[in-house]
Amino acid sequence: MAKLLLPAKLENLEAMMEFIRKAAIDQGFDTKQINHIELASEEVLVNIINYAYPDRTGDIEITLTPQENKGLEIKVIDWGLAFDPLSLPEPDTCAPLEERKIGGLGVYLLRKLMDEVYYKREDSRNILTFVKKI
Amino acid sequence: MESKFLLDVKGEVAKIELLGRLDAANAPLLQEELKKLAGSAINRVVFYAKALEYISSAGLRVIIFAKQKMSTNAQVYFIGAQELVLGTIKMSGLDNFMFLQDTYND
């Protein structure tokens, strides 16, 4: 298990992504799976960076746990505003481009690309867990 | 590879070469550049994506922005996308509303 704690700022996104990317490589995921893990992770992290701490600075904690079946569990915790990203409606991927709403696409990718996704609110923390299996 | 974009406007066509990654860190910069073109005579936006290795939803939002903010008849072309980038575009359903091509002829 590996853990990383950094302030929720855009300038730290690359370090967080690199932390996750390296673990995915070490777990033996192929290029496409790593790409999917990156896409899902970026969505989760950017949502927190942009919205979790509107009036103060705060942290993001990322815990990576290799799974028995060689998958990877990624747990992202923040101490910001209560927010369940899984409650967002899915975008209409068939809607014409002129009518597409901008939001929701990231969470749609998270749900579609990861094998399991869970959210819970506990002790003033948002805990989003997602798992990619090999 | 260093991520950046190169913008070139000629008449009604805006060409943007995408390099490296288009993600939450740099997509806003591209969006700011495209904002300047909104309301202009641009009716075609051509993204050259051969050197683009990764595009996240932040990058896809810029593509949507290009289509929504240019003229209502604006066409979006996405040229030379790599397999992973193509996969992300198709997953999001945006492939139905842009021209995905290997090459582009003026």
Side-chain angles (χ1 to χ4, degrees):
Chain A
M1 188 181 81
K3 201 171 273 205
L4 178 71
L5 182 73
L6 282 173
K9 294 183 177 181
L10 200 56
E11 66 209 45
N12 291 328
L13 178 63
E14 178 53 34
M16 297 176 195
M17 294 290 288
E18 183 59 31
F19 177 65
I20 294 169
R21 189 183 305 130
K22 188 175 179 312
I25 293 170
D26 290 346
Q27 271 301 89
F29 286 102
D30 65 32
T31 310
K32 190 174 180 179
Q33 291 169 318
I34 293 169
N35 177 255
H36 290 175
I37 290 169
E38 282 191 272
L39 286 171
S41 300
E42 180 176 324
E43 297 323 316
V44 173
L45 297 171
V46 170
N47 265 333
I48 297 170
I49 288 168
N50 285 340
Y51 303 118
Y53 302 104
D55 49 8
R56 62 185 173 96
T57 53
D59 293 329
I60 294 176
E61 180 184 272
I62 303 167
T63 304
L64 305 176
T65 308
Q67 302 294 281
E68 274 180 22
N69 60 358
K70 290 200 164 190
L72 184 67
E73 178 193 90
I74 301 166
K75 185 179 290 191
V76 181
I77 296 176
D78 72 85
W79 289 261
L81 295 178
F83 175 61
D84 175 7
L86 303 182
S87 67
L88 287 174
E90 290 201 352
D92 180 358
T93 55
C94 294
L97 213 50
E98 294 80 8
E99 297 168 24
R100 285 289 290 270
K101 291 190 169 43
I102 301 290
L105 185 54
V107 176
Y108 169 74
L109 290 178
L110 169 68
R111 280 201 190 107
K112 196 173 166 81
L113 297 173
M114 294 296 105
D115 295 299
E116 298 168 24
V117 187
Y118 315 107
Y119 166 83
K120 64 177 175 182
R121 178 84 180 164
E122 189 178 88
D123 301 329
S124 302
R125 299 177 300 163
N126 293 306
I127 303 172
L128 187 70
T129 306
F130 47 107
V131 177
K132 184 72 174 173
K133 297 177 183 173
I134 288 220
Chain B
M1 172 185 281
E2 187 188 328
S3 301
K4 56 181 178 176
F5 50 85
L6 304 167
L7 175 61
D8 176 47
V9 179
K10 277 196 180 70
E12 297 173 335
V13 181
K15 292 181 180 175
I16 299 127
E17 186 172 1
L18 302 172
L19 303 164
R21 298 169 70 91
L22 190 58
D23 57 19
N26 59 15
L29 295 171
L30 176 57
Q31 185 150 315
E32 280 307 305
E33 288 301 307
L34 291 177
K35 257 186 195 170
K36 296 174 189 171
L37 303 177
S40 66
I42 303 288
N43 66 9
R44 181 176 291 192
V45 183
V46 183
F47 291 97
Y48 288 90
K50 198 169 172 188
L52 184 67
E53 295 166 352
Y54 170 88
I55 187 167
S56 68
S57 78
L60 293 174
R61 276 193 284 276
V62 173
I63 311 297
I64 296 173
F65 177 87
K67 176 75 172 172
Q68 290 180 337
K69 297 301 180 191
M70 300 302 157
S71 72
T72 47
N73 296 323
Q75 297 170 321
V76 174
Y77 285 72
F78 213 80
I79 308 301
Q82 297 181 23
E83 188 188 336
L84 291 177
V85 168
L86 215 50
T88 306
I89 289 172
K90 287 181 177 176
M91 248 189 304
S92 66
L94 294 193
D95 55 321
N96 293 322
F97 307 106
M98 63 173 86
F99 295 96
L100 292 168
Q101 298 175 183
D102 292 332
T103 56
Y104 177 79
N105 296 317
D106 285 309

